[in-house]
Amino acid sequence: MTPQHGIGMTSLRTRERLIQRLKDQGIRDARVLDRIRNVPRHLFMDEALSTRAYEDTALPIGLGQTISQPYVVARMTEAATIGAPKRVLEIGTGCGYQTAVLAPLVGHVYTIERLAPLLDKARERLATMGIDNVSFRHGDGYAGWPEEAPFDAIIVTAAPEVIPKALLEQLAENGRLVLPVGPDGSQELLRVTRRGKEYVRERIGFVSFVPLVSGVA
Ligand code: SAH
């Protein structure tokens, strides 16, 4: 039995335990729960940490960044995918876990990451998994992706202190922006929906993300 097979086997029970926990915490969308059940989270992190892959916790992935907590990924995916969006922008690809959960539920994902080594690895992982409706960009998510706008949904997986204006401008009519906003350690997850000239805000809950940083590296 290969080590990978080994973790796959152990993970069956631990994955079900994770799904139950997400249900207990209010995740209702069966398609989102199915994605969390089926995406092999242990392949998105260092092997040394992979025994913890199905815990409901964020974990380090190097370069000072993290793989998001499954509950938060599920919550954001639920909030962003109501109404089966066609074009989705994601800021902060990181290891690509959120991208992998999201991509089969939508038409196409445009994902931006400022750290090239993370982006390259994420691109490889998703190709290996046969996920082919994702475009990758090495760039600064503060600017969005104007050439591909407007978007039916935008997910931001790092926290700015205020909502970036470019992202509001790149929302389609009835499009929604799901993002954490606030200073380090006390951020609120928001969903902002564009209705004509209005932007309607809903508060989803408190979260803890790495900061959205300007510029590329
Ligand atoms: N989505 C990931 C978690 C990403 S952590 C997951 O599924 O686990 C946040 C990521 O946002 C980091 O990789 C960080 O480098 C990236 N990031 C921070 N500021 C950014 C910016 N301005 N533009 C694009 N990516 C950014």
Side-chain angles (χ1 to χ4, degrees), residues 3-4 24 44 69 76 80 89 101 119 123 128 131 135 143 155 161 188-189 191 202 205-206:
Q4 202 148 307
D24 292 346
F44 289 81
Q69 182 190 354
M76 291 181 81
L89 174 65
V101 169
L119 186 71
R123 187 191 274 123
T128 306
I131 295 176
S135 302
I155 283 191
E161 297 221 356
E188 197 165 17
L189 191 59
R191 176 165 62 185
E202 294 160 83
F206 290 94

Side-chain angles (χ1 to χ4, degrees), residues 28-107:
R28 294 276 172 265
D29 190 325
R31 297 171 323 147
V32 172
L33 290 167
D34 256 10
R35 290 305 297 152
I36 302 275
R37 185 182 284 114
N38 292 323
V39 175
R41 190 169 183 255
H42 63 278
L43 300 183
F44 289 81
M45 55 181 61
D46 279 352
E47 235 180 285
L49 282 173
S50 61
T51 53
R52 301 188 57 197
Y54 300 96
E55 291 177 16
D56 190 20
T57 177
L59 291 164
I61 57 167
L63 300 174
Q65 305 305 321
T66 55
I67 179 169
S68 297
Q69 182 190 354
Y71 170 74
V72 174
V73 171
R75 199 75 190 83
M76 291 181 81
T77 308
E78 242 185 13
T81 58
I82 295 170
K86 290 195 181 66
R87 303 166 65 77
V88 181
L89 174 65
E90 178 191 44
I91 312 291
T93 320
C95 63
Y97 177 66
Q98 164 77 77
T99 325
V101 169
L102 176 69
L105 305 178
V106 304

Side-chain angles (χ1 to χ4, degrees), residues 65-68 92 94 98 113-115 118 140-141 157 212-213:
Q65 305 305 321
T66 55
I67 179 169
S68 297
Q98 164 77 77
E113 168 58 52
R114 65 181 287 273
L115 299 176
L118 294 182
D140 182 351
T157 67
L212 193 69
V213 177

Side-chain angles (χ1 to χ4, degrees), residues 138-168:
H138 177 221
D140 182 351
Y142 269 105
W145 195 326
E147 299 84 354
E148 297 293 349
F151 298 99
D152 304 310
I154 301 177
I155 283 191
V156 186
T157 67
E161 297 221 356
V162 295
I163 302 177
K165 198 164 159 246
L167 301 185
L168 292 172

Side-chain angles (χ1 to χ4, degrees), residues 152-190:
D152 304 310
I154 301 177
I155 283 191
V156 186
T157 67
E161 297 221 356
V162 295
I163 302 177
K165 198 164 159 246
L167 301 185
L168 292 172
E169 288 167 356
Q170 290 173 29
L171 276 180
E173 175 62 16
N174 292 317
R176 50 212 156 276
L177 167 62
V178 178
L179 83 172
V181 179
D184 216 5
S186 87
Q187 302 141 1
E188 197 165 17
L189 191 59
L190 301 178

